[in-house]
Amino acid sequence: MILITGGAGYIGTHTLVELAMANYDFIVYDNFSNSSEEAIERVSKIIDRDVVYEKGDIRDLQKLEEVFEKYSIDSVIHFAGLKAVGESVRKPLEYYDNNVVGTIRLLECMKKFECKKIVFSSSATVYGDPKTTPIVESFSVGGTTNPYGTSKYMIERILNDLYIADNSFKIVILRYFNPVGAHKSGYIGEDPNGIPNNLMPFISQVAVGKRECLSVFGNDYDTHDGTGVRDYIHVVDLADAHVKAIEYLNSHKFSSEFSVFNIGTGHGYSVLDVIKTFEKVSEKKIPYKITSRREGDVAKCYADPALAERILGWKARKNLLDMCKDSWNWQVKNPDGYKEK
Ligand code: NAD
Ligand code: UD1
């Protein structure tokens, strides 16, 4: 059985669906600090079976141990964490405590129960401002500009040191690029709090009439139209990468493992590319204005995903049109997200 920390969140719920389709058994562990039980119910609807879950915090070692005692857990997909960049600058201790200390508690528990397989959610943010693109996994990491990014970098280092000390661990780090989109059913999707920081949820809210105008943060970057370029990846493709990572860890080829993979499409799209595609699928005009650059933003960030294809047998299948279409479908069906949250 796989323990899914943070399984009620945006990427977690989509991963539950893909795991269920591949016939894996799992149990969700989430404190619902940024999600709701309703999201779990929606997953149950999609997969047509109950989802087993326990409410708890990854920093609560006693509760974690109870869960490991109760279920026979042989691997962990570790999504749980706080992820808002701006908030992390204002609340660094909360972010390091939740993300770093929480991960340490989880790893202690795994060690105690001889559960040695883990897939960890990292981020392309660990590359900081890359010298060139596409980004390969061997690029230097650590030039992070906010506590959120630094917490991801620190956890990667902790996992590496743990592996050096105990190479019976099998560790896969997935560095996500920009997850967007939603399950095609429109039952589950991204449900940001307040004013969205990220581009796709902001555009969706403008299209649905919840916000008036999108601010485009700078049009003087060295990119094809001057606006920032990113590697947007459909969340269902991203979810599938976790299924492939688990398959890989379960394969008998390796007795120990420490690997890092970029999870992106390999294509970079600008802010204006996304706006145009979204307008096409939604048949809505997206009013926007050009404003100054956002602090901490880089011009271009997109992956070379060849390693994940070669080793995990994983490749993104969905394009920008699919991503916009599914984001829009989710937004229209759930203008206020999960109401319960
Ligand atoms: P999310 O906030 O939707 O999901 C995270 C889940 O973890 C939530 O359900 C939350 O309630 C839970 N959680 C948080 N702290 C917890 C704790 N201490 N104990 C138990 N549960 C806790 O975020 P997401 O977008 O699904 O992201 C999942 C992971 O992927 C995170 O680690 C995030 O940093 C990472 N990531 C996300 C993105 C992105 O753009 N969404 C990009 C790169 C990496
Ligand atoms: C942001 C985070 C990053 C995190 C990633 C994935 C920052 C500085 N970085 O990255 O740490 O890993 O999300 O969740 O917050 N844009 C606009 N107007 C908007 C919103 C965004 O023009 O209202 C532009 C940005 O300048 C960027 C692009 O859209 O060029 C994508 O932005 P966003 O969705 O926030 O993702 P990242 O900046 O890649």
Side-chain angles (χ1 to χ4, degrees):
M1 181 173 262
I2 310 168
L3 179 75
I4 318 282
T5 74
Y10 171 44
I11 304 168
T13 46
H14 289 83
T15 302
L16 300 182
V17 173
E18 298 310 302
L19 285 169
M21 277 166 49
N23 287 318
Y24 283 100
D25 268 342
F26 48 78
I27 177 229
V28 171
Y29 187 79
D30 202 303
N31 65 1
F32 298 106
S33 60
N34 195 36
S35 53
S36 65
E37 278 156 300
E38 194 190 334
I40 299 274
E41 280 161 29
R42 302 253 190 124
V43 171
S44 300
K45 242 175 157 179
I46 298 172
I47 66 176
D48 200 21
R49 67 165 154 103
D50 284 344
V51 172
V52 182
Y53 70 93
E54 296 275 347
K55 183 173 181 174
D57 195 296
I58 48 168
R59 290 164 296 182
D60 183 348
L61 193 54
Q62 202 186 326
K63 175 78 192 179
L64 265 180
E65 289 187 354
E66 278 168 31
V67 170
F68 271 81
E69 251 149 37
K70 188 164 163 195
Y71 304 92
S72 155
I73 296 165
D74 58 34
S75 46
V76 175
I77 302 181
H78 179 30
F79 293 110
L82 300 176
K83 62 164 183 176
V85 173
E87 186 184 59
S88 79
V89 176
R90 293 191 303 277
K91 300 177 177 172
L93 298 181
E94 219 172 280
Y95 270 67
Y96 289 123
D97 183 46
N98 199 90
N99 295 3
V100 181
V101 175
T103 302
I104 292 173
R105 290 289 97 80
L106 174 68
L107 293 168
E108 282 168 352
C109 191
M110 289 176 65
K111 211 167 153 53
K112 181 165 174 189
F113 286 84
E114 290 284 316
C115 168
K116 301 283 180 82
K117 288 182 272 188
I118 182 166
V119 179
F120 172 63
S121 304
S122 190
S123 165
T125 196
V126 299
Y127 293 114
D129 193 353
K131 281 199 185 73
T132 57
T133 42
I135 297 171
V136 286
E137 288 84 351
S138 55
F139 277 19
S140 70
V141 291
T144 48
T145 53
N146 55 74
Y148 164 71
T150 307
S151 76
K152 291 291 172 191
Y153 171 65
M154 287 166 88
I155 296 166
E156 286 202 6
R157 289 295 305 265
I158 289 167
L159 288 169
N160 198 352
D161 287 341
L162 176 65
Y163 176 73
I164 290 166
D166 176 355
N167 64 18
S168 64
F169 265 96
K170 291 174 136 197
I171 299 172
V172 166
I173 292 176
L174 301 180
R175 292 184 181 146
Y176 312 158
F177 279 66
N178 288 60
V180 295
H183 189 262
K184 62 179 184 318
S185 63
Y187 285 159
I188 54 174
E190 188 171 11
D191 185 13
N193 293 321
I195 303 170
N197 293 307
N198 297 117
L199 181 66
M200 191 66 92
F202 203 105
I203 292 183
S204 308
Q205 294 194 4
V206 172
V208 86
K210 280 182 82 173
R211 315 217 168 259
E212 267 178 24
C213 180
L214 170 77
S215 294
V216 175
F217 300 144
N219 67 347
D220 56 353
Y221 284 108
D222 181 18
T223 62
H224 61 271
D225 60 19
T227 65
V229 163
R230 297 290 182 276
D231 188 336
Y232 297 95
I233 170 157
H234 197 294
V235 66
V236 172
D237 277 334
L238 175 58
D240 179 47
H242 295 80
V243 177
K244 296 290 193 301
I246 287 289
E247 271 168 21
Y248 174 68
L249 289 183
N250 287 344
S251 71
H252 295 290
K253 275 183 276 179
F254 312 95
S255 56
S256 73
E257 185 67 38
F258 180 88
S259 339
V260 182
F261 299 101
N262 283 341
I263 303 296
T265 64
H267 301 289
Y269 291 103
S270 72
V271 178
L272 297 182
D273 292 334
V274 179
I275 295 174
K276 268 182 235 145
T277 311
F278 204 97
E279 284 182 334
K280 197 156 127 190
V281 304
S282 64
E283 297 177 355
K284 302 268 179 201
K285 192 90 201 122
I286 310 292
Y288 69 86
K289 59 174 189 284
I290 308 290
T291 63
S292 52
R293 293 180 176 193
R294 177 173 66 180
E295 203 184 324
D297 271 359
V298 302
K300 271 190 239 172
C301 176
Y302 61 94
D304 176 342
L307 189 68
E309 183 171 4
R310 187 156 54 80
I311 306 290
L312 298 180
W314 173 86
K315 193 176 177 341
R317 314 227 159 256
K318 295 175 187 284
N319 60 26
L320 187 60
L321 204 73
D322 302 319
M323 300 179 211
C324 292
K325 211 187 282 170
D326 292 335
S327 295
W328 179 232
N329 182 43
W330 156 256
Q331 182 67 61
V332 169
K333 290 188 172 148
N334 309 268
D336 300 315
Y338 299 111
K339 290 212 184 62
E340 218 188 69
K341 204 176 124 184

